[in-house]
Amino acid sequence: MTKKVFAVVLKEANETVERKIMDNYPKMHQYTDTFYLVACGPDVLAKDIAVSVGIKGESRVESASGVVFKLNTVYSGYTERTLWEWLSSVEDE
Protein backbone atom coordinates (compact mmCIF):
# COMPACT_ATOMS: atom_id res chain seq x y z
CA MET A 1 0.00 0.00 0.00
CA THR A 2 1.32 3.43 -0.96
CA LYS A 3 1.51 5.85 1.95
CA LYS A 4 0.93 9.59 1.73
CA VAL A 5 2.90 11.90 3.98
CA PHE A 6 1.32 15.05 5.34
CA ALA A 7 2.80 17.90 7.35
CA VAL A 8 0.67 19.31 10.16
CA VAL A 9 1.91 22.81 10.99
CA LEU A 10 0.51 24.65 14.00
CA LYS A 11 0.75 28.38 14.60
CA GLU A 12 1.46 27.66 18.27
CA ALA A 13 2.02 24.48 20.24
CA ASN A 14 -1.23 22.91 21.38
CA GLU A 15 -1.33 19.90 23.73
CA THR A 16 -4.84 18.87 22.69
CA VAL A 17 -3.95 18.80 19.00
CA GLU A 18 -0.68 17.02 19.76
CA ARG A 19 -2.59 14.31 21.64
CA LYS A 20 -5.06 13.96 18.76
CA ILE A 21 -2.20 13.60 16.27
CA MET A 22 -0.55 10.92 18.38
CA ASP A 23 -3.85 9.08 18.98
CA ASN A 24 -5.04 9.18 15.36
CA TYR A 25 -1.75 8.71 13.55
CA PRO A 26 0.53 6.17 15.20
CA LYS A 27 2.82 6.45 12.16
CA MET A 28 3.86 10.03 12.93
CA HIS A 29 7.05 11.99 13.53
CA GLN A 30 7.14 15.04 15.77
CA TYR A 31 9.77 17.37 14.36
CA THR A 32 9.06 20.33 16.69
CA ASP A 33 6.23 21.26 19.04
CA THR A 34 4.45 22.89 16.07
CA PHE A 35 5.45 20.61 13.15
CA TYR A 36 4.40 16.98 12.73
CA LEU A 37 4.59 14.50 9.87
CA VAL A 38 1.94 11.82 9.56
CA ALA A 39 1.75 8.84 7.22
CA CYS A 40 -1.65 7.70 5.96
CA GLY A 41 -3.23 5.44 3.42
CA PRO A 42 -3.74 6.51 -0.19
CA ASP A 43 -7.36 7.63 0.23
CA VAL A 44 -6.79 10.14 3.05
CA LEU A 45 -7.12 13.84 2.21
CA ALA A 46 -5.51 16.83 3.93
CA LYS A 47 -8.95 18.00 5.12
CA ASP A 48 -9.52 14.60 6.78
CA ILE A 49 -6.37 15.07 8.81
CA ALA A 50 -7.22 18.68 9.68
CA VAL A 51 -10.61 17.58 11.03
CA SER A 52 -9.27 14.56 12.94
CA VAL A 53 -6.55 16.55 14.73
CA GLY A 54 -8.88 19.42 15.63
CA ILE A 55 -7.78 22.29 13.39
CA LYS A 56 -10.87 22.26 11.17
CA GLY A 57 -14.52 21.28 11.34
CA GLU A 58 -17.20 21.05 13.97
CA SER A 59 -14.89 19.52 16.58
CA ARG A 60 -12.14 22.10 16.04
CA VAL A 61 -10.06 22.82 19.14
CA GLU A 62 -10.94 26.45 19.80
CA SER A 63 -7.40 27.50 20.69
CA ALA A 64 -5.82 25.71 17.72
CA SER A 65 -4.69 27.24 14.46
CA GLY A 66 -2.78 25.39 11.77
CA VAL A 67 -2.61 23.90 8.30
CA VAL A 68 -2.05 20.50 6.70
CA PHE A 69 0.12 20.06 3.61
CA LYS A 70 0.49 16.93 1.47
CA LEU A 71 4.16 16.33 0.76
CA ASN A 72 5.64 14.79 -2.33
CA THR A 73 8.71 12.59 -2.33
CA VAL A 74 11.21 15.39 -2.87
CA TYR A 75 12.91 16.77 0.24
CA SER A 76 16.03 18.81 0.85
CA GLY A 77 17.78 20.40 3.78
CA TYR A 78 20.02 19.77 6.73
CA THR A 79 18.42 18.41 9.88
CA GLU A 80 18.47 15.57 12.38
CA ARG A 81 18.95 12.11 10.97
CA THR A 82 15.76 10.77 12.58
CA LEU A 83 13.63 12.85 10.22
CA TRP A 84 15.31 11.41 7.11
CA GLU A 85 15.10 7.89 8.55
CA TRP A 86 11.39 8.30 9.31
CA LEU A 87 10.68 9.56 5.78
CA SER A 88 12.66 6.69 4.30
CA SER A 89 10.84 4.09 6.40
CA VAL A 90 7.44 5.44 5.37
CA GLU A 91 8.36 5.56 1.69
CA ASP A 92 9.65 1.98 1.83
CA GLU A 93 6.33 0.57 3.09
Coordinates of all heavy atoms in Angstrom, one line a residue:
M1 N 0.8 -1.2 0.0 CA 0.0 0.0 0.0 C 0.9 1.2 0.0 O 1.8 1.4 0.8 CB -0.9 0.0 1.2 CG -1.6 1.3 1.4 SD -2.9 1.5 2.7 CE -2.3 0.6 4.1
T2 N 0.6 2.2 -0.9 CA 1.3 3.4 -1.0 C 0.9 4.4 0.2 O -0.3 4.6 0.4 CB 1.1 4.1 -2.3 OG1 1.4 3.2 -3.3 CG2 1.9 5.4 -2.4
K3 N 1.8 4.9 0.9 CA 1.5 5.9 1.9 C 1.6 7.3 1.4 O 2.4 7.6 0.6 CB 2.5 5.7 3.1 CG 2.4 4.4 3.8 CD 1.4 4.4 4.9 CE 1.5 3.1 5.7 NZ 0.4 3.0 6.6
K4 N 0.8 8.2 1.9 CA 0.9 9.6 1.7 C 1.5 10.2 3.0 O 1.2 9.7 4.1 CB -0.4 10.2 1.5 CG -1.1 9.9 0.2 CD -2.4 10.7 0.1 CE -3.1 10.5 -1.1 NZ -4.4 11.2 -1.2
V5 N 2.3 11.2 2.8 CA 2.9 11.9 4.0 C 2.3 13.3 4.0 O 2.4 14.0 3.0 CB 4.4 11.9 3.9 CG1 5.0 12.7 5.1 CG2 5.0 10.5 4.0
F6 N 1.9 13.7 5.1 CA 1.3 15.1 5.3 C 2.1 15.8 6.4 O 2.5 15.1 7.4 CB -0.2 15.0 5.7 CG -1.1 14.4 4.7 CD1 -1.3 13.1 4.6 CD2 -1.7 15.3 3.8 CE1 -2.1 12.6 3.6 CE2 -2.5 14.8 2.8 CZ -2.7 13.4 2.7
A7 N 2.2 17.1 6.3 CA 2.8 17.9 7.3 C 1.7 18.6 8.0 O 0.8 19.2 7.4 CB 3.8 18.9 6.8
V8 N 1.6 18.6 9.3 CA 0.7 19.3 10.2 C 1.5 20.4 10.8 O 2.4 20.1 11.6 CB 0.0 18.4 11.2 CG1 -1.0 19.3 12.1 CG2 -0.7 17.2 10.6
V9 N 1.2 21.7 10.5 CA 1.9 22.8 11.0 C 1.0 23.7 11.8 O 0.0 24.2 11.3 CB 2.5 23.6 9.8 CG1 3.4 24.8 10.4 CG2 3.3 22.7 8.9
L10 N 1.3 23.8 13.1 CA 0.5 24.6 14.0 C 1.1 26.0 14.2 O 2.3 26.2 14.1 CB 0.4 24.0 15.4 CG -0.1 22.5 15.4 CD1 -0.1 22.0 16.8 CD2 -1.5 22.5 14.9
K11 N 0.3 27.0 14.3 CA 0.8 28.4 14.6 C 1.5 28.4 15.9 O 2.5 29.1 16.1 CB -0.4 29.4 14.6 CG 0.0 30.8 14.7 CD -1.1 31.7 14.5 CE -0.7 33.2 14.6 NZ -1.8 34.1 14.4
E12 N 0.9 27.8 16.9 CA 1.5 27.7 18.3 C 1.3 26.2 18.8 O 0.3 25.5 18.4 CB 0.8 28.6 19.2 CG 0.9 30.1 18.9 CD 0.1 31.0 19.8 OE1 -0.7 30.5 20.6 OE2 0.3 32.2 19.7
A13 N 2.1 25.8 19.7 CA 2.0 24.5 20.2 C 0.7 24.3 20.9 O 0.1 25.3 21.5 CB 3.1 24.3 21.3
N14 N 0.1 23.2 20.8 CA -1.2 22.9 21.4 C -1.3 21.5 21.9 O -1.2 20.5 21.0 CB -2.3 23.2 20.4 CG -3.7 23.1 20.9 OD1 -4.1 22.0 21.4 ND2 -4.4 24.2 21.0
E15 N -1.4 21.3 23.2 CA -1.3 19.9 23.7 C -2.5 19.0 23.3 O -2.3 17.8 23.1 CB -1.3 20.0 25.2 CG 0.0 20.5 25.8 CD 0.0 20.5 27.3 OE1 -0.8 19.9 28.0 OE2 0.9 21.2 27.9
T16 N -3.7 19.6 23.1 CA -4.8 18.9 22.7 C -4.7 18.4 21.3 O -4.9 17.2 21.0 CB -6.1 19.7 22.8 OG1 -6.2 20.2 24.1 CG2 -7.3 18.9 22.4
V17 N -4.2 19.2 20.4 CA -3.9 18.8 19.0 C -2.8 17.8 19.0 O -2.9 16.8 18.2 CB -3.6 20.0 18.1 CG1 -3.2 19.6 16.7 CG2 -4.8 21.0 18.0
E18 N -1.8 18.0 19.7 CA -0.7 17.0 19.8 C -1.2 15.6 20.2 O -0.8 14.6 19.5 CB 0.4 17.5 20.7 CG 1.5 16.5 20.8 CD 2.6 17.0 21.8 OE1 2.7 18.2 22.1 OE2 3.4 16.1 22.3
R19 N -2.0 15.6 21.2 CA -2.6 14.3 21.6 C -3.4 13.7 20.5 O -3.4 12.5 20.3 CB -3.4 14.5 22.9 CG -3.8 13.2 23.6 CD -4.4 13.4 25.0 NE -5.5 14.4 25.0 CZ -5.3 15.7 25.5 NH1 -4.2 16.0 26.0 NH2 -6.3 16.6 25.5
K20 N -4.2 14.5 19.8 CA -5.1 14.0 18.8 C -4.2 13.4 17.6 O -4.5 12.4 17.0 CB -6.0 15.0 18.2 CG -7.2 15.4 19.2 CD -8.0 16.5 18.6 CE -9.2 16.7 19.4 NZ -10.4 15.9 18.9
I21 N -3.1 14.1 17.3 CA -2.2 13.6 16.3 C -1.6 12.2 16.7 O -1.7 11.3 15.9 CB -1.1 14.6 16.0 CG1 -1.6 15.9 15.4 CG2 0.0 14.0 15.1 CD1 -0.6 17.0 15.3
M22 N -1.2 12.2 17.9 CA -0.6 10.9 18.4 C -1.6 9.8 18.5 O -1.3 8.6 18.1 CB 0.1 11.1 19.7 CG 1.3 12.0 19.6 SD 2.1 12.3 21.2 CE 3.5 13.3 20.8
D23 N -2.8 10.1 18.9 CA -3.8 9.1 19.0 C -4.3 8.6 17.6 O -4.6 7.4 17.4 CB -5.0 9.6 19.8 CG -4.8 9.8 21.3 OD1 -3.7 9.3 21.7 OD2 -5.6 10.5 21.9
N24 N -4.5 9.5 16.7 CA -5.0 9.2 15.4 C -4.0 8.7 14.3 O -4.4 8.0 13.4 CB -5.8 10.4 14.8 CG -7.1 10.7 15.5 OD1 -8.0 9.8 15.5 ND2 -7.2 11.8 16.1
Y25 N -2.8 9.0 14.5 CA -1.7 8.7 13.5 C -0.5 8.1 14.2 O 0.5 8.8 14.5 CB -1.4 10.0 12.7 CG -2.6 10.5 12.1 CD1 -3.3 11.6 12.6 CD2 -3.1 9.9 10.9 CE1 -4.4 12.1 12.0 CE2 -4.3 10.4 10.3 CZ -4.9 11.5 10.9 OH -6.1 12.0 10.3
P26 N -0.6 6.8 14.5 CA 0.5 6.2 15.2 C 1.8 6.2 14.4 O 2.9 6.2 14.9 CB 0.1 4.7 15.4 CG -1.1 4.6 14.5 CD -1.7 5.9 14.3
K27 N 1.7 6.3 13.0 CA 2.8 6.5 12.2 C 3.1 7.9 12.0 O 2.7 8.5 10.9 CB 2.5 5.7 10.8 CG 3.7 5.6 10.0 CD 4.7 4.5 10.5 CE 5.7 4.2 9.5 NZ 6.6 3.2 10.0
M28 N 3.6 8.6 13.0 CA 3.9 10.0 12.9 C 5.3 10.3 13.4 O 5.9 9.5 14.0 CB 2.8 10.8 13.8 CG 2.8 10.4 15.2 SD 4.0 11.1 16.4 CE 3.6 12.8 16.3
H29 N 5.7 11.5 13.1 CA 7.0 12.0 13.5 C 6.9 13.4 14.0 O 6.4 14.3 13.2 CB 8.1 11.9 12.4 CG 9.4 12.4 12.8 ND1 10.3 11.6 13.5 CD2 10.0 13.6 12.6 CE1 11.4 12.3 13.7 NE2 11.3 13.5 13.2
Q30 N 7.2 13.7 15.2 CA 7.1 15.0 15.8 C 8.5 15.7 15.5 O 9.5 15.3 16.1 CB 6.8 15.1 17.3 CG 6.7 16.5 17.8 CD 6.2 16.5 19.2 OE1 5.9 15.5 19.8 NE2 6.1 17.7 19.8
Y31 N 8.5 16.7 14.7 CA 9.8 17.4 14.4 C 10.0 18.5 15.4 O 11.1 18.6 15.9 CB 9.7 17.9 12.9 CG 11.0 18.5 12.5 CD1 12.1 17.8 12.3 CD2 11.0 19.9 12.1 CE1 13.3 18.3 11.9 CE2 12.2 20.4 11.7 CZ 13.3 19.7 11.6 OH 14.5 20.2 11.1
T32 N 9.0 19.3 15.6 CA 9.1 20.3 16.7 C 7.7 20.3 17.4 O 6.8 19.5 17.1 CB 9.3 21.7 16.1 OG1 8.1 22.2 15.4 CG2 10.5 21.8 15.2
D33 N 7.5 21.2 18.3 CA 6.2 21.3 19.0 C 5.1 21.9 18.2 O 4.0 21.9 18.6 CB 6.4 22.0 20.4 CG 6.8 23.4 20.3 OD1 7.2 23.8 19.2 OD2 6.8 24.1 21.3
T34 N 5.5 22.3 17.0 CA 4.4 22.9 16.1 C 4.5 22.2 14.7 O 3.8 22.7 13.8 CB 4.6 24.4 15.9 OG1 5.9 24.7 15.4 CG2 4.4 25.1 17.2
F35 N 5.3 21.2 14.5 CA 5.4 20.6 13.2 C 5.5 19.1 13.3 O 6.4 18.6 14.0 CB 6.7 21.1 12.5 CG 6.9 20.6 11.1 CD1 6.4 21.4 10.0 CD2 7.5 19.5 10.8 CE1 6.5 21.0 8.7 CE2 7.7 19.0 9.5 CZ 7.2 19.8 8.4
Y36 N 4.5 18.4 12.7 CA 4.4 17.0 12.7 C 4.3 16.4 11.3 O 3.7 17.1 10.4 CB 3.1 16.6 13.5 CG 3.1 17.1 14.9 CD1 2.6 18.4 15.1 CD2 3.4 16.4 16.0 CE1 2.6 19.0 16.4 CE2 3.4 16.9 17.3 CZ 2.9 18.2 17.5 OH 2.9 18.7 18.7
L37 N 4.8 15.2 11.1 CA 4.6 14.5 9.9 C 3.8 13.3 10.2 O 4.0 12.6 11.2 CB 5.9 14.1 9.3 CG 6.8 15.2 8.8 CD1 8.2 14.7 8.4 CD2 6.2 16.0 7.7
V38 N 2.8 13.0 9.4 CA 1.9 11.8 9.6 C 1.9 11.0 8.3 O 1.9 11.6 7.2 CB 0.5 12.2 10.1 CG1 0.6 12.9 11.4 CG2 -0.2 13.0 9.0
A39 N 1.9 9.7 8.4 CA 1.7 8.8 7.2 C 0.4 8.2 7.2 O -0.1 7.8 8.3 CB 2.8 7.8 7.3
C40 N -0.3 8.2 6.1 CA -1.7 7.7 6.0 C -1.8 6.9 4.7 O -0.9 6.9 3.8 CB -2.6 8.9 5.9 SG -2.5 10.0 7.2
G41 N -2.9 6.2 4.6 CA -3.2 5.4 3.4 C -3.5 6.3 2.2 O -3.6 7.6 2.4
P42 N -3.6 5.7 1.1 CA -3.7 6.5 -0.2 C -5.0 7.3 -0.3 O -5.1 8.2 -1.1 CB -3.6 5.4 -1.3 CG -4.0 4.2 -0.6 CD -3.6 4.3 0.8
D43 N -6.1 7.0 0.4 CA -7.4 7.6 0.2 C -7.6 8.8 1.2 O -8.6 9.5 1.1 CB -8.5 6.6 0.4 CG -8.5 5.5 -0.7 OD1 -8.0 5.8 -1.8 OD2 -8.9 4.4 -0.3
V44 N -6.6 9.1 2.1 CA -6.8 10.1 3.0 C -6.5 11.5 2.4 O -5.5 11.6 1.6 CB -5.9 9.9 4.2 CG1 -5.9 11.0 5.2 CG2 -6.2 8.6 4.9
L45 N -7.3 12.5 2.7 CA -7.1 13.8 2.2 C -6.6 14.8 3.3 O -6.8 14.5 4.5 CB -8.4 14.4 1.7 CG -9.1 13.6 0.6 CD1 -10.5 14.2 0.3 CD2 -8.2 13.5 -0.7
A46 N -6.0 15.9 2.9 CA -5.5 16.8 3.9 C -6.6 17.3 4.8 O -6.5 17.4 6.0 CB -4.8 18.0 3.2
K47 N -7.8 17.5 4.3 CA -8.9 18.0 5.1 C -9.3 17.0 6.2 O -9.8 17.3 7.2 CB -10.1 18.4 4.3 CG -10.9 17.3 3.7 CD -12.2 17.8 3.0 CE -13.0 16.6 2.6 NZ -14.4 16.7 2.6
D48 N -9.2 15.7 5.8 CA -9.5 14.6 6.8 C -8.6 14.7 8.0 O -9.0 14.5 9.1 CB -9.4 13.2 6.1 CG -10.3 13.0 4.9 OD1 -11.4 13.6 4.9 OD2 -9.9 12.2 4.0
I49 N -7.3 14.9 7.7 CA -6.4 15.1 8.8 C -6.7 16.3 9.6 O -6.7 16.3 10.9 CB -4.9 15.1 8.3 CG1 -4.6 13.7 7.6 CG2 -3.9 15.4 9.4 CD1 -3.4 13.6 6.8
A50 N -6.9 17.4 9.0 CA -7.2 18.7 9.7 C -8.4 18.5 10.6 O -8.4 19.0 11.8 CB -7.5 19.8 8.7
V51 N -9.4 17.8 10.2 CA -10.6 17.6 11.0 C -10.3 16.6 12.2 O -10.6 16.9 13.3 CB -11.8 17.0 10.2 CG1 -12.9 16.5 11.1 CG2 -12.3 18.1 9.2
S52 N -9.5 15.6 11.9 CA -9.3 14.6 12.9 C -8.3 15.1 14.0 O -8.4 14.6 15.2 CB -8.7 13.3 12.3 OG -7.4 13.5 11.8
V53 N -7.5 16.0 13.7 CA -6.6 16.6 14.7 C -7.1 17.8 15.4 O -6.5 18.3 16.3 CB -5.1 16.8 14.2 CG1 -4.5 15.5 13.6 CG2 -5.1 17.9 13.2
G54 N -8.2 18.3 14.9 CA -8.9 19.4 15.6 C -8.5 20.8 15.1 O -8.7 21.8 15.9
I55 N -8.1 20.9 13.9 CA -7.8 22.3 13.4 C -8.8 22.7 12.3 O -8.6 23.8 11.7 CB -6.3 22.5 12.9 CG1 -6.0 21.5 11.8 CG2 -5.3 22.3 14.0 CD1 -4.6 21.7 11.2
K56 N -9.8 21.9 12.1 CA -10.9 22.3 11.2 C -12.1 21.5 11.5 O -12.0 20.4 12.1 CB -10.4 21.9 9.8 CG -11.4 22.2 8.7 CD -11.0 21.9 7.3 CE -12.1 22.2 6.3 NZ -11.6 22.2 5.0
G57 N -13.3 22.0 11.2 CA -14.5 21.3 11.3 C -15.3 21.6 12.6 O -14.9 22.4 13.4
E58 N -16.3 20.8 12.8 CA -17.2 21.0 14.0 C -16.5 20.8 15.3 O -16.9 21.4 16.3 CB -18.5 20.2 13.8 CG -19.4 20.6 12.7 CD -20.6 19.7 12.6 OE1 -20.9 19.0 13.6 OE2 -21.2 19.8 11.5
S59 N -15.6 19.9 15.3 CA -14.9 19.5 16.6 C -13.5 20.2 16.7 O -12.6 19.7 17.4 CB -14.7 18.0 16.7 OG -13.9 17.5 15.6
R60 N -13.4 21.4 16.0 CA -12.1 22.1 16.0 C -11.8 22.5 17.5 O -12.7 22.9 18.2 CB -12.2 23.3 15.2 CG -10.9 24.1 15.0 CD -11.0 25.3 14.1 NE -11.5 26.4 14.8 CZ -10.8 27.2 15.6 NH1 -9.6 27.0 15.9 NH2 -11.4 28.3 16.2
V61 N -10.5 22.4 17.8 CA -10.1 22.8 19.1 C -10.0 24.3 19.1 O -9.3 24.9 18.2 CB -8.7 22.2 19.4 CG1 -8.1 22.8 20.8 CG2 -8.7 20.7 19.5
E62 N -10.8 25.0 19.9 CA -10.9 26.4 19.8 C -9.6 27.2 19.8 O -9.5 28.2 19.1 CB -11.9 27.0 20.9 CG -12.3 28.4 20.7 CD -13.4 28.8 21.7 OE1 -14.3 28.0 21.9 OE2 -13.3 30.0 22.2
S63 N -8.7 26.8 20.6 CA -7.4 27.5 20.7 C -6.4 27.1 19.6 O -5.3 27.6 19.6 CB -6.8 27.3 22.1 OG -6.6 25.9 22.3
A64 N -6.8 26.2 18.7 CA -5.8 25.7 17.7 C -5.9 26.4 16.4 O -7.0 26.7 15.9 CB -6.0 24.2 17.5
S65 N -4.8 26.7 15.8 CA -4.7 27.2 14.5 C -3.6 26.5 13.7 O -2.4 26.4 14.3 CB -4.4 28.7 14.5 OG -4.3 29.3 13.3
G66 N -3.8 26.1 12.5 CA -2.8 25.4 11.8 C -3.2 25.0 10.4 O -4.4 25.2 10.0
V67 N -2.3 24.3 9.7 CA -2.6 23.9 8.3 C -2.0 22.5 8.1 O -1.2 22.1 8.9 CB -2.0 24.8 7.2 CG1 -2.6 26.2 7.3 CG2 -0.5 24.9 7.4
V68 N -2.6 21.8 7.1 CA -2.1 20.5 6.7 C -1.6 20.6 5.2 O -2.4 21.1 4.4 CB -3.1 19.4 6.9 CG1 -2.6 18.1 6.4 CG2 -3.6 19.3 8.3
F69 N -0.4 20.1 5.0 CA 0.1 20.1 3.6 C 0.4 18.6 3.2 O 1.0 17.9 4.0 CB 1.5 20.8 3.5 CG 1.3 22.3 3.8 CD1 1.7 22.8 5.1 CD2 0.9 23.2 2.9 CE1 1.7 24.1 5.4 CE2 0.8 24.5 3.2 CZ 1.2 25.0 4.4
K70 N 0.1 18.2 2.0 CA 0.5 16.9 1.5 C 1.9 17.1 0.9 O 2.1 18.0 0.1 CB -0.5 16.4 0.4 CG -0.1 15.1 -0.2 CD -1.0 14.7 -1.3 CE -0.5 13.5 -2.0 NZ 0.7 13.7 -2.8
L71 N 2.8 16.2 1.3 CA 4.2 16.3 0.8 C 4.3 15.4 -0.4 O 3.6 14.4 -0.5 CB 5.2 15.9 1.9 CG 5.1 16.8 3.2 CD1 6.2 16.3 4.1 CD2 5.3 18.2 2.9
N72 N 5.3 15.7 -1.3 CA 5.6 14.8 -2.3 C 6.9 14.1 -1.9 O 7.3 14.2 -0.7 CB 5.8 15.5 -3.7 CG 6.9 16.6 -3.7 OD1 7.8 16.5 -2.8 ND2 6.8 17.5 -4.6
T73 N 7.5 13.4 -2.7 CA 8.7 12.6 -2.3 C 10.0 13.3 -2.6 O 11.1 12.7 -2.6 CB 8.7 11.2 -3.1 OG1 8.7 11.5 -4.5 CG2 7.5 10.4 -2.7
V74 N 10.0 14.6 -2.7 CA 11.2 15.4 -2.9 C 11.4 16.2 -1.6 O 10.6 17.0 -1.2 CB 11.1 16.3 -4.1 CG1 12.4 17.1 -4.3 CG2 10.8 15.5 -5.3
Y75 N 12.6 16.0 -1.0 CA 12.9 16.8 0.2 C 14.4 17.3 0.1 O 15.2 16.6 -0.5 CB 12.8 15.9 1.5 CG 11.5 15.0 1.5 CD1 11.6 13.7 1.2 CD2 10.3 15.6 1.8 CE1 10.5 12.9 1.2 CE2 9.2 14.8 1.8 CZ 9.3 13.4 1.5 OH 8.2 12.6 1.5
S76 N 14.7 18.3 0.8 CA 16.0 18.8 0.8 C 16.2 19.6 2.1 O 15.3 20.2 2.6 CB 16.3 19.7 -0.4 OG 17.6 20.1 -0.4
G77 N 17.5 19.6 2.6 CA 17.8 20.4 3.8 C 18.8 19.7 4.7 O 19.3 18.6 4.3
Y78 N 19.1 20.3 5.7 CA 20.0 19.8 6.7 C 19.3 19.7 8.1 O 18.8 20.8 8.6 CB 21.3 20.6 6.8 CG 22.3 20.1 7.9 CD1 23.1 19.1 7.5 CD2 22.3 20.6 9.1 CE1 24.0 18.6 8.5 CE2 23.2 20.2 10.1 CZ 24.0 19.1 9.8 OH 24.9 18.6 10.7
T79 N 19.1 18.6 8.6 CA 18.4 18.4 9.9 C 18.8 17.1 10.5 O 19.7 16.4 10.0 CB 16.9 18.5 9.7 OG1 16.3 18.6 10.9 CG2 16.4 17.3 8.9
E80 N 18.2 16.8 11.6 CA 18.5 15.6 12.4 C 18.2 14.3 11.5 O 17.3 14.3 10.7 CB 17.7 15.5 13.7 CG 16.2 15.6 13.4 CD 15.4 15.8 14.7 OE1 15.8 16.7 15.5 OE2 14.3 15.2 14.9
R81 N 19.0 13.3 11.7 CA 18.9 12.1 11.0 C 17.6 11.4 11.2 O 17.1 10.7 10.2 CB 20.1 11.2 11.4 CG 20.1 9.9 10.7 CD 21.3 9.0 11.1 NE 21.8 8.5 9.9 CZ 23.1 8.3 9.7 NH1 24.0 8.5 10.6 NH2 23.5 7.8 8.5
T82 N 17.0 11.5 12.3 CA 15.8 10.8 12.6 C 14.7 11.2 11.6 O 13.8 10.3 11.3 CB 15.3 11.0 14.0 OG1 15.1 12.4 14.3 CG2 16.2 10.4 15.0
L83 N 14.6 12.4 11.2 CA 13.6 12.9 10.2 C 13.8 12.1 8.9 O 12.9 11.6 8.3 CB 13.7 14.4 10.0 CG 12.7 14.9 8.9 CD1 11.3 14.6 9.3 CD2 13.0 16.3 8.7
W84 N 15.0 12.1 8.4 CA 15.3 11.4 7.1 C 15.0 9.9 7.2 O 14.5 9.3 6.3 CB 16.7 11.6 6.7 CG 17.1 13.1 6.5 CD1 18.1 13.8 7.2 CD2 16.4 14.1 5.8 NE1 18.1 15.1 6.9 CE2 17.1 15.3 6.0 CE3 15.3 14.1 4.9 CZ2 16.7 16.5 5.3 CZ3 15.0 15.3 4.3 CH2 15.6 16.5 4.5
E85 N 15.4 9.3 8.4 CA 15.1 7.9 8.6 C 13.6 7.6 8.6 O 13.1 6.6 8.0 CB 15.8 7.4 9.8 CG 17.3 7.3 9.7 CD 18.0 7.0 11.0 OE1 17.3 7.0 12.1 OE2 19.2 6.8 11.0
W86 N 12.8 8.5 9.2 CA 11.4 8.3 9.3 C 10.8 8.4 7.9 O 10.0 7.5 7.5 CB 10.7 9.3 10.2 CG 9.3 9.1 10.4 CD1 8.7 8.3 11.3 CD2 8.2 9.7 9.6 NE1 7.3 8.4 11.2 CE2 7.0 9.2 10.1 CE3 8.2 10.6 8.5 CZ2 5.8 9.5 9.6 CZ3 7.0 10.9 8.0 CH2 5.8 10.4 8.5
L87 N 11.2 9.4 7.1 CA 10.7 9.6 5.8 C 11.0 8.3 4.9 O 10.2 7.8 4.2 CB 11.2 10.8 5.1 CG 10.6 12.1 5.6 CD1 11.5 13.3 5.2 CD2 9.2 12.3 5.2
S88 N 12.2 7.9 5.1 CA 12.7 6.7 4.3 C 11.9 5.5 4.7 O 11.4 4.7 3.8 CB 14.1 6.4 4.5 OG 14.6 5.3 3.8
S89 N 11.6 5.3 6.0 CA 10.8 4.1 6.4 C 9.4 4.1 5.9 O 8.9 3.1 5.5 CB 10.9 4.0 7.9 OG 10.0 4.9 8.5
V90 N 8.8 5.3 5.9 CA 7.4 5.4 5.4 C 7.4 5.2 3.9 O 6.5 4.5 3.4 CB 6.9 6.8 5.7 CG1 5.6 7.1 5.0 CG2 6.7 7.0 7.2
E91 N 8.3 5.7 3.1 CA 8.4 5.6 1.7 C 8.6 4.1 1.3 O 8.2 3.7 0.2 CB 9.4 6.5 1.1 CG 9.0 7.9 1.2 CD 10.2 8.9 0.8 OE1 11.3 8.4 0.6 OE2 9.9 10.1 0.7
D92 N 9.3 3.4 2.1 CA 9.7 2.0 1.8 C 8.5 1.0 2.1 O 8.6 -0.1 1.7 CB 10.9 1.5 2.6 CG 12.2 2.2 2.2 OD1 12.2 2.8 1.0 OD2 13.1 2.2 2.9
E93 N 7.5 1.5 2.8 CA 6.3 0.6 3.1 C 5.5 0.3 1.9 O 5.3 1.0 1.0 CB 5.4 1.2 4.2 CG 6.1 1.2 5.5 CD 5.2 1.7 6.6 OE1 4.1 2.2 6.3 OE2 5.6 1.7 7.8

